[in-house]
Structure formats: structure tokens, C-alpha cells
Amino acid sequence: METSAGSTLPADEVERITTDMIAALKTVYDPEIPVDIYELGLIYKVDLDDDRNVSIDMTLTAPGCPVAGEMPGWVENAVRGVEGIQDVRVNMVFDPPWNADMMSEEAQVALNWW
């Protein structure tokens, strides 16, 4: 997660929010793949500003994903539930295109993609 240069947020608060946001993101699953979107590598960037607004750049495993219209809302709702967050904006991006190399080792093990 990135914070703006010269952030006035206390480091311990940023750490707590980061931990809580990761936990929240891990509750969102691509319905076709039994791994959460965080471990799949679908979250490209998370920015937290001094007003505790969050901007998230994310992608999909494929542009034609059947839940493309719904998943950003799932991500927004999950992160909005993190204590201290004021607002959440989710941006869908497709550059760089997602590929299996972006998955964590945990996701690769879960999917037997060795």
C-alpha cells in the first residue's frame, strides 16, 4: 500500500489499516477460482491518502469475466468496512494484463499450478 509523500497519518495507523485492508480483500473471491483476489494478484495498487480515502487499482483474470460488473463493488464494500476508512474508489485496469505469474505461491499451491 502506498501513502502520499509526507503523509500525516501515524505509521502504526497505516500499518493497522494496511493489515485490515488485506484481510478484507482476502474475503473477496473470483467465483470461478477458489482463491481470493488478493492472492490471485488481481489487486495492483492501493493508495491511502491523509483523509483516509482509498484508491484501488485492480484487474480481472480475463476482461470477459462474468462478474466484471460486480467485482469492483465487492472490493469496495469489503474495504469500506475497514475501521478508519472514509471513502473507497475502485479502478478497473487491464494494463498490465493479468497472468498466472502474478499469483502468490499460496494461490499456486491451492490451484496446483506448479
Side-chain angles (χ1 to χ4, degrees):
M1 183 176 71
E2 296 182 17
T3 55
S4 52
S7 176
T8 60
L9 295 176
D12 61 331
E13 183 175 2
V14 171
E15 184 176 336
R16 182 201 51 83
I17 289 173
T18 300
T19 299
D20 291 352
M21 274 198 291
I22 291 170
L25 290 168
K26 287 183 168 207
T27 68
V28 180
Y29 284 76
D30 181 320
E32 297 179 330
I33 303 172
V35 176
D36 69 77
I37 63 167
Y38 185 82
E39 296 297 337
L40 279 174
L42 299 181
I43 302 299
Y44 283 175
K45 183 177 177 183
V46 178
D47 286 329
L48 174 66
D49 70 18
D50 285 349
D51 294 324
R52 294 170 181 78
N53 298 310
V54 176
S55 176
I56 299 171
D57 288 354
M58 69 168 292
T59 196
L60 302 169
T61 54
C65 177
V67 293
E70 299 169 57
M71 194 175 295
W74 299 343
V75 170
E76 179 182 337
N77 288 337
V79 173
R80 194 174 292 282
V82 172
E83 182 183 342
I85 297 299
Q86 296 304 309
D87 196 22
V88 180
R89 186 178 77 235
V90 178
N91 308 302
M92 190 64 63
V93 298
F94 294 99
D95 188 29
W98 180 88
N99 66 65
D101 293 336
M102 296 173 168
M103 290 190 294
S104 70
E105 187 174 309
E106 178 180 318
Q108 291 174 7
V109 168
L111 295 173
N112 285 325
W113 286 25
W114 284 99

